[in-house]
Amino acid sequence: MKIIENYNLQQISFWKIGGVAKFYIEVDSAQELNQAFSFTTSKSVKAIVIGNATNLLFSDGLIDVAIIRLGVGFKNINVCGDTIEIGAGVSCQKLVRVCQVNALVGLEHIVGIPATIGGLIYMNGGSQRKTISENVLSVTSINDKGKMIVRTNKDCKFSYRKSIFQSKCDEVIISAKFTLERGSRNKSRKDCLQILKDRNSKFPRKLPSCGSVFISDPNMYNSFGPPGKIIESLGFKGVSIGDAEVSKKHANFIVNKGQAKAEDVLKLVVMINDSVKEKYGFLMTSEGLYINKAGEITPLHLAEV
Ligand SMILES: Cc1cc2nc3c(=O)[nH]c(=O)nc-3n(C[C@H](O)[C@H](O)[C@H](O)COP(=O)(O)OP(=O)(O)OC[C@H]3O[C@@H](n4cnc5c(N)ncnc54)[C@H](O)[C@@H]3O)c2cc1C
């Protein structure tokens, strides 16, 4: 187990924003995970397990938290017929590649998402109007008392960008089983290339971001369109606070032009949400999550600025 005190979170933040966490811990086994929880309890500090930090905004300044990450011990992959069992620390890219090698199809939509499987299940992420939950057979987690829990797909209570794990802050997803279909390796490769091409043309790639800031509300979508279109219609493209800027390429992305602070991002989120509420009557919910100075996780739009 690796423990680092006073860890600068900018180095792991996808937004390249954030202050200093009291502890950063990397674990390689369930046993080490238990040890990490004992350590954080002994230090009376909150523990948060993260994936690749692609959906997280860390507070500026000193954060009273121990950030725990799953290391190589959680990157196991086991293919058995049409089923893949995979560690929560495996990247989406790797899972897509394993599927292709084994001519298994169905998860092409996650290509290009820079997340870990644990993080993607927690968020029930996906693209192309699909979510990871569609292929989940079961998810295994461990709680902070060391108890292992196996949930079926139904038990995971998946819905759009939601899973039961968002209400289980004492649990860590350690692995998942996926069911896939046999299919054409070539077609899968072609589909992935097309998806990557589309993503590259639509999303900002050059400046750090955390993907889409706001969730697409079906009612708002049906009446006015997706968040990006609505935010753009209000003239927000290119608007910035400090170095945090509403992307000129896609208005549902906030990019860091260099030295953006968490506070800048949060102020932009409030400014956008207030305008959308005033003009369209909808209060948007954020997809991105904020870790505040006390080590609590809240959606960006509910964070105190
Ligand atoms: C350029 C870019 C493009 C993106 N495109 C998409 C997209 O197309 N579709 C999409 O859905 N999302 C997209 N995202 C957002 C992001 O990748 C997803 O929200 C993803 O699910 C987060 O995974 P992560 O591993 O980075 O988790 P993190 O951001 O590290 O964590 C997110 C949450 O999950 C929890 N968590 C992570 N791992 C575990 C675990 N093992 N056990 C328990 N809890 C855990 C964390 O505590 C945190 O609350 C994009 C982000 C970026 C930067």
PDB file of all heavy atoms in Angstrom, residues 25 49 54 62-63 105 125 138 140-141 172 209 228 230 253 257 269-270 272 276 283-284:
ATOM      1  N   ILE A  25      -3.836   7.444  -1.176  1.00  0.00           N
ATOM      2  CA  ILE A  25      -3.497   6.046  -0.887  1.00  0.00           C
ATOM      3  C   ILE A  25      -3.775   5.187  -2.116  1.00  0.00           C
ATOM      4  O   ILE A  25      -4.842   5.280  -2.710  1.00  0.00           O
ATOM      5  CB  ILE A  25      -4.335   5.514   0.308  1.00  0.00           C
ATOM      6  CG1 ILE A  25      -4.178   6.453   1.516  1.00  0.00           C
ATOM      7  CG2 ILE A  25      -3.927   4.092   0.671  1.00  0.00           C
ATOM      8  CD1 ILE A  25      -5.070   6.079   2.707  1.00  0.00           C
ATOM      9  N   VAL A  49     -12.985   6.780  -2.524  1.00  0.00           N
ATOM     10  CA  VAL A  49     -12.337   5.998  -3.574  1.00  0.00           C
ATOM     11  C   VAL A  49     -12.685   6.624  -4.907  1.00  0.00           C
ATOM     12  O   VAL A  49     -13.857   6.897  -5.184  1.00  0.00           O
ATOM     13  CB  VAL A  49     -12.794   4.527  -3.530  1.00  0.00           C
ATOM     14  CG1 VAL A  49     -12.232   3.741  -4.707  1.00  0.00           C
ATOM     15  CG2 VAL A  49     -12.334   3.891  -2.230  1.00  0.00           C
ATOM     16  N   THR A  54     -12.142  11.620 -13.888  1.00  0.00           N
ATOM     17  CA  THR A  54     -12.605  12.274 -15.117  1.00  0.00           C
ATOM     18  C   THR A  54     -13.965  12.942 -14.937  1.00  0.00           C
ATOM     19  O   THR A  54     -14.498  13.532 -15.872  1.00  0.00           O
ATOM     20  CB  THR A  54     -12.713  11.271 -16.295  1.00  0.00           C
ATOM     21  OG1 THR A  54     -13.675  10.262 -15.947  1.00  0.00           O
ATOM     22  CG2 THR A  54     -11.390  10.610 -16.584  1.00  0.00           C
ATOM     23  N   LEU A  62      -6.592  23.236   1.065  1.00  0.00           N
ATOM     24  CA  LEU A  62      -6.372  21.967   1.756  1.00  0.00           C
ATOM     25  C   LEU A  62      -7.696  21.215   1.896  1.00  0.00           C
ATOM     26  O   LEU A  62      -8.687  21.778   2.354  1.00  0.00           O
ATOM     27  CB  LEU A  62      -5.775  22.250   3.141  1.00  0.00           C
ATOM     28  CG  LEU A  62      -5.217  21.034   3.862  1.00  0.00           C
ATOM     29  CD1 LEU A  62      -4.034  20.427   3.094  1.00  0.00           C
ATOM     30  CD2 LEU A  62      -4.763  21.419   5.267  1.00  0.00           C
ATOM     31  N   ILE A  63      -7.703  19.952   1.477  1.00  0.00           N
ATOM     32  CA  ILE A  63      -8.941  19.159   1.539  1.00  0.00           C
ATOM     33  C   ILE A  63      -8.758  18.054   2.581  1.00  0.00           C
ATOM     34  O   ILE A  63      -7.794  17.281   2.529  1.00  0.00           O
ATOM     35  CB  ILE A  63      -9.282  18.538   0.159  1.00  0.00           C
ATOM     36  CG1 ILE A  63      -9.231  19.613  -0.938  1.00  0.00           C
ATOM     37  CG2 ILE A  63     -10.654  17.879   0.196  1.00  0.00           C
ATOM     38  CD1 ILE A  63      -9.483  19.078  -2.332  1.00  0.00           C
ATOM     39  N   VAL A 105     -19.368  -8.076 -28.854  1.00  0.00           N
ATOM     40  CA  VAL A 105     -19.829  -6.723 -29.193  1.00  0.00           C
ATOM     41  C   VAL A 105     -20.889  -6.215 -28.203  1.00  0.00           C
ATOM     42  O   VAL A 105     -21.509  -7.004 -27.495  1.00  0.00           O
ATOM     43  CB  VAL A 105     -20.395  -6.659 -30.639  1.00  0.00           C
ATOM     44  CG1 VAL A 105     -19.336  -7.055 -31.653  1.00  0.00           C
ATOM     45  CG2 VAL A 105     -21.640  -7.533 -30.789  1.00  0.00           C
ATOM     46  N   GLY A 125     -22.410   5.536 -16.725  1.00  0.00           N
ATOM     47  CA  GLY A 125     -22.050   6.333 -17.910  1.00  0.00           C
ATOM     48  C   GLY A 125     -22.200   5.561 -19.206  1.00  0.00           C
ATOM     49  O   GLY A 125     -22.511   4.368 -19.216  1.00  0.00           O
ATOM     50  N   SER A 138     -23.485  -8.432 -13.071  1.00  0.00           N
ATOM     51  CA  SER A 138     -23.407  -8.240 -11.616  1.00  0.00           C
ATOM     52  C   SER A 138     -22.230  -7.345 -11.265  1.00  0.00           C
ATOM     53  O   SER A 138     -21.314  -7.167 -12.074  1.00  0.00           O
ATOM     54  CB  SER A 138     -23.252  -9.588 -10.915  1.00  0.00           C
ATOM     55  OG  SER A 138     -22.033 -10.180 -11.293  1.00  0.00           O
ATOM     56  N   THR A 140     -19.537  -6.446  -7.968  1.00  0.00           N
ATOM     57  CA  THR A 140     -19.060  -6.830  -6.637  1.00  0.00           C
ATOM     58  C   THR A 140     -18.427  -5.625  -5.956  1.00  0.00           C
ATOM     59  O   THR A 140     -17.633  -4.903  -6.564  1.00  0.00           O
ATOM     60  CB  THR A 140     -18.007  -7.967  -6.737  1.00  0.00           C
ATOM     61  OG1 THR A 140     -18.606  -9.067  -7.408  1.00  0.00           O
ATOM     62  CG2 THR A 140     -17.532  -8.421  -5.365  1.00  0.00           C
ATOM     63  N   SER A 141     -18.804  -5.412  -4.715  1.00  0.00           N
ATOM     64  CA  SER A 141     -18.207  -4.302  -3.966  1.00  0.00           C
ATOM     65  C   SER A 141     -17.787  -4.798  -2.581  1.00  0.00           C
ATOM     66  O   SER A 141     -18.152  -5.903  -2.161  1.00  0.00           O
ATOM     67  CB  SER A 141     -19.210  -3.162  -3.840  1.00  0.00           C
ATOM     68  OG  SER A 141     -20.382  -3.625  -3.219  1.00  0.00           O
ATOM     69  N   VAL A 172     -17.006   0.161  -1.988  1.00  0.00           N
ATOM     70  CA  VAL A 172     -16.082   0.332  -3.114  1.00  0.00           C
ATOM     71  C   VAL A 172     -16.368  -0.753  -4.139  1.00  0.00           C
ATOM     72  O   VAL A 172     -16.390  -1.942  -3.795  1.00  0.00           O
ATOM     73  CB  VAL A 172     -14.617   0.181  -2.640  1.00  0.00           C
ATOM     74  CG1 VAL A 172     -13.660   0.376  -3.803  1.00  0.00           C
ATOM     75  CG2 VAL A 172     -14.315   1.136  -1.514  1.00  0.00           C
ATOM     76  N   SER A 209     -10.756  19.185 -19.365  1.00  0.00           N
ATOM     77  CA  SER A 209     -12.172  19.341 -19.005  1.00  0.00           C
ATOM     78  C   SER A 209     -12.591  18.099 -18.224  1.00  0.00           C
ATOM     79  O   SER A 209     -11.769  17.202 -18.004  1.00  0.00           O
ATOM     80  CB  SER A 209     -13.040  19.459 -20.254  1.00  0.00           C
ATOM     81  OG  SER A 209     -13.272  18.180 -20.819  1.00  0.00           O
ATOM     82  N   GLY A 228     -26.104  21.472 -24.193  1.00  0.00           N
ATOM     83  CA  GLY A 228     -25.120  22.217 -24.991  1.00  0.00           C
ATOM     84  C   GLY A 228     -25.792  23.250 -25.884  1.00  0.00           C
ATOM     85  O   GLY A 228     -25.366  24.405 -25.976  1.00  0.00           O
ATOM     86  N   ILE A 230     -28.796  24.568 -25.537  1.00  0.00           N
ATOM     87  CA  ILE A 230     -29.468  25.602 -24.723  1.00  0.00           C
ATOM     88  C   ILE A 230     -28.467  26.615 -24.184  1.00  0.00           C
ATOM     89  O   ILE A 230     -28.675  27.833 -24.257  1.00  0.00           O
ATOM     90  CB  ILE A 230     -30.255  24.912 -23.577  1.00  0.00           C
ATOM     91  CG1 ILE A 230     -31.470  24.215 -24.190  1.00  0.00           C
ATOM     92  CG2 ILE A 230     -30.675  25.889 -22.502  1.00  0.00           C
ATOM     93  CD1 ILE A 230     -32.175  23.281 -23.274  1.00  0.00           C
ATOM     94  N   PHE A 253     -19.339  21.886 -22.089  1.00  0.00           N
ATOM     95  CA  PHE A 253     -18.030  21.582 -21.510  1.00  0.00           C
ATOM     96  C   PHE A 253     -17.453  22.867 -20.930  1.00  0.00           C
ATOM     97  O   PHE A 253     -17.555  23.929 -21.547  1.00  0.00           O
ATOM     98  CB  PHE A 253     -17.043  21.078 -22.582  1.00  0.00           C
ATOM     99  CG  PHE A 253     -17.228  19.639 -22.975  1.00  0.00           C
ATOM    100  CD1 PHE A 253     -18.406  19.198 -23.564  1.00  0.00           C
ATOM    101  CD2 PHE A 253     -16.211  18.714 -22.771  1.00  0.00           C
ATOM    102  CE1 PHE A 253     -18.575  17.871 -23.941  1.00  0.00           C
ATOM    103  CE2 PHE A 253     -16.368  17.377 -23.141  1.00  0.00           C
ATOM    104  CZ  PHE A 253     -17.544  16.958 -23.733  1.00  0.00           C
ATOM    105  N   LYS A 257      -8.261  26.940 -19.129  1.00  0.00           N
ATOM    106  CA  LYS A 257      -7.324  27.572 -20.071  1.00  0.00           C
ATOM    107  C   LYS A 257      -5.901  27.633 -19.500  1.00  0.00           C
ATOM    108  O   LYS A 257      -4.981  28.050 -20.180  1.00  0.00           O
ATOM    109  CB  LYS A 257      -7.794  28.992 -20.406  1.00  0.00           C
ATOM    110  CG  LYS A 257      -9.062  29.002 -21.266  1.00  0.00           C
ATOM    111  CD  LYS A 257      -9.333  30.384 -21.834  1.00  0.00           C
ATOM    112  CE  LYS A 257      -9.806  31.328 -20.743  1.00  0.00           C
ATOM    113  NZ  LYS A 257     -10.094  32.682 -21.231  1.00  0.00           N
ATOM    114  N   VAL A 269     -20.822  27.524 -13.367  1.00  0.00           N
ATOM    115  CA  VAL A 269     -21.956  26.593 -13.303  1.00  0.00           C
ATOM    116  C   VAL A 269     -23.195  27.329 -12.789  1.00  0.00           C
ATOM    117  O   VAL A 269     -24.286  27.208 -13.358  1.00  0.00           O
ATOM    118  CB  VAL A 269     -21.615  25.370 -12.406  1.00  0.00           C
ATOM    119  CG1 VAL A 269     -22.856  24.553 -12.067  1.00  0.00           C
ATOM    120  CG2 VAL A 269     -20.581  24.488 -13.096  1.00  0.00           C
ATOM    121  N   VAL A 270     -23.016  28.127 -11.729  1.00  0.00           N
ATOM    122  CA  VAL A 270     -24.148  28.878 -11.164  1.00  0.00           C
ATOM    123  C   VAL A 270     -24.676  29.881 -12.186  1.00  0.00           C
ATOM    124  O   VAL A 270     -25.890  30.004 -12.409  1.00  0.00           O
ATOM    125  CB  VAL A 270     -23.712  29.614  -9.861  1.00  0.00           C
ATOM    126  CG1 VAL A 270     -24.795  30.573  -9.394  1.00  0.00           C
ATOM    127  CG2 VAL A 270     -23.398  28.608  -8.767  1.00  0.00           C
ATOM    128  N   ILE A 272     -24.485  29.866 -15.464  1.00  0.00           N
ATOM    129  CA  ILE A 272     -25.186  29.182 -16.566  1.00  0.00           C
ATOM    130  C   ILE A 272     -26.564  28.716 -16.084  1.00  0.00           C
ATOM    131  O   ILE A 272     -27.579  28.957 -16.737  1.00  0.00           O
ATOM    132  CB  ILE A 272     -24.362  27.961 -17.056  1.00  0.00           C
ATOM    133  CG1 ILE A 272     -23.067  28.420 -17.729  1.00  0.00           C
ATOM    134  CG2 ILE A 272     -25.179  27.086 -18.003  1.00  0.00           C
ATOM    135  CD1 ILE A 272     -22.074  27.300 -17.980  1.00  0.00           C
ATOM    136  N   VAL A 276     -30.255  29.719 -17.554  1.00  0.00           N
ATOM    137  CA  VAL A 276     -31.134  28.713 -18.166  1.00  0.00           C
ATOM    138  C   VAL A 276     -32.478  28.701 -17.441  1.00  0.00           C
ATOM    139  O   VAL A 276     -33.538  28.643 -18.066  1.00  0.00           O
ATOM    140  CB  VAL A 276     -30.468  27.308 -18.146  1.00  0.00           C
ATOM    141  CG1 VAL A 276     -31.455  26.225 -18.581  1.00  0.00           C
ATOM    142  CG2 VAL A 276     -29.243  27.292 -19.054  1.00  0.00           C
ATOM    143  N   LEU A 283     -34.146  23.973 -14.047  1.00  0.00           N
ATOM    144  CA  LEU A 283     -32.920  24.000 -13.266  1.00  0.00           C
ATOM    145  C   LEU A 283     -32.144  22.744 -13.651  1.00  0.00           C
ATOM    146  O   LEU A 283     -32.598  21.632 -13.404  1.00  0.00           O
ATOM    147  CB  LEU A 283     -33.232  23.994 -11.761  1.00  0.00           C
ATOM    148  CG  LEU A 283     -32.003  24.181 -10.871  1.00  0.00           C
ATOM    149  CD1 LEU A 283     -31.452  25.601 -10.999  1.00  0.00           C
ATOM    150  CD2 LEU A 283     -32.346  23.897  -9.415  1.00  0.00           C
ATOM    151  N   MET A 284     -30.993  22.925 -14.290  1.00  0.00           N
ATOM    152  CA  MET A 284     -30.250  21.760 -14.772  1.00  0.00           C
ATOM    153  C   MET A 284     -29.484  21.092 -13.621  1.00  0.00           C
ATOM    154  O   MET A 284     -29.065  21.754 -12.669  1.00  0.00           O
ATOM    155  CB  MET A 284     -29.280  22.175 -15.876  1.00  0.00           C
ATOM    156  CG  MET A 284     -29.982  22.670 -17.126  1.00  0.00           C
ATOM    157  SD  MET A 284     -28.834  22.845 -18.486  1.00  0.00           S
ATOM    158  CE  MET A 284     -27.812  24.185 -17.905  1.00  0.00           C
TER     159      MET A 284
END
